C-alpha cells in the first residue's frame, strides 16, 4: 500500500494535511493554511522537496526526543514529524517520507 496525503479542514476554518505511510501511520504534518489552494501548494511542495538533497533538518527536542522538519528551497518549513524516542527511528521516518511523498495519493476531506 502506498502513502497518501490526507487534507482536512480544522475547526478554526483553516486547512492542514498529514502524510500517511502505507500502513496509515502519520509521518509528516503540515502547518495550517488559510486557503484550500495554499494547502494543495503545500502538498506539492512536500512532494518536490522530499527528494531534494538537504531538505530535511534533523532535530532533537529539549526533552531528548527526536524529530525532523522538511524545508522548501526558500527555507520555509513545509512539514514536521512526530517525536521519536531514538535518532534511528527519526531517520527511518525521513526515509519513509522520501519513499512515500512523491507518489502519494490525495484524500481530500476538507469539504471543498
Amino acid at each position: 500500500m502506498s502513502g497518501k496525503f490526507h487534507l482536512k479542514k480544522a475547526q478554526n476554518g483553516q486547512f492542514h494535511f498529514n502524510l500517511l505511510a502505507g500502513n496509515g501511520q502519520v509521518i509528516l504534518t503540515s502547518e495550517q493554511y488559510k486557503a484550500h489552494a495554499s494547502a494543495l501548494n503545500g502538498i506539492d511542495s512536500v512532494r518536490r522537496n522530499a527528494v531534494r538533497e538537504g531538505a530535511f533538518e534533523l532535530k532533537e527536542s529539549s526533552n531528548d526526543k527526536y524529530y525532523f522538519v522538511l524545508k522548501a528551497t526558500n527555507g520555509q518549513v513545509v512539514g514536521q514529524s512526530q517525536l521519536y524516542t531514538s535518532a534511528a527511528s527519526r531517520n527511518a521516518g525521513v526515509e519513509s517520507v522520501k519513499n512515500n511523498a512523491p507518489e502519494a495519493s490525495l484524500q481530500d476531506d476538507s469539504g471543498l
Side-chain angles (χ1 to χ4, degrees), residues 4-10 14-20 30-31 33 35-43 105-112:
K4 72 177 173 184
F5 288 98
H6 186 201
L7 177 59
K8 299 179 273 188
K9 191 172 188 178
Q14 294 193 0
F15 301 88
H16 62 98
F17 60 85
N18 290 315
L19 173 59
L20 309 175
S30 75
E31 64 178 345
Y33 297 91
H36 183 262
S38 298
L40 292 175
N41 287 339
I43 289 170
S105 61
L106 173 60
Q107 178 182 334
D108 189 344
D109 290 331
S110 66
L112 294 184

Side-chain angles (χ1 to χ4, degrees), residues 4 6 8 10 12 25-26 29 31-33 38 58 66 78 81 93-94:
K4 72 177 173 184
H6 186 201
K8 299 179 273 188
N12 65 4
Q25 182 178 5
V26 174
T29 300
E31 64 178 345
Q32 291 197 344
Y33 297 91
S38 298
L58 307 180
Y66 301 86
V78 292
S81 73
V94 168

Side-chain angles (χ1 to χ4, degrees), residues 66-103:
Y66 301 86
Y67 68 102
F68 62 85
V69 294
L70 175 62
K71 291 186 171 184
T73 53
N74 65 2
Q76 182 177 354
V77 173
V78 292
Q80 181 172 314
S81 73
Q82 63 182 13
L83 292 175
Y84 295 95
T85 57
S86 72
S89 296
R90 174 200 58 207
N91 297 345
V94 168
E95 291 305 312
S96 186
V97 172
K98 288 179 179 180
N99 291 332
N100 283 284
E103 302 299 323

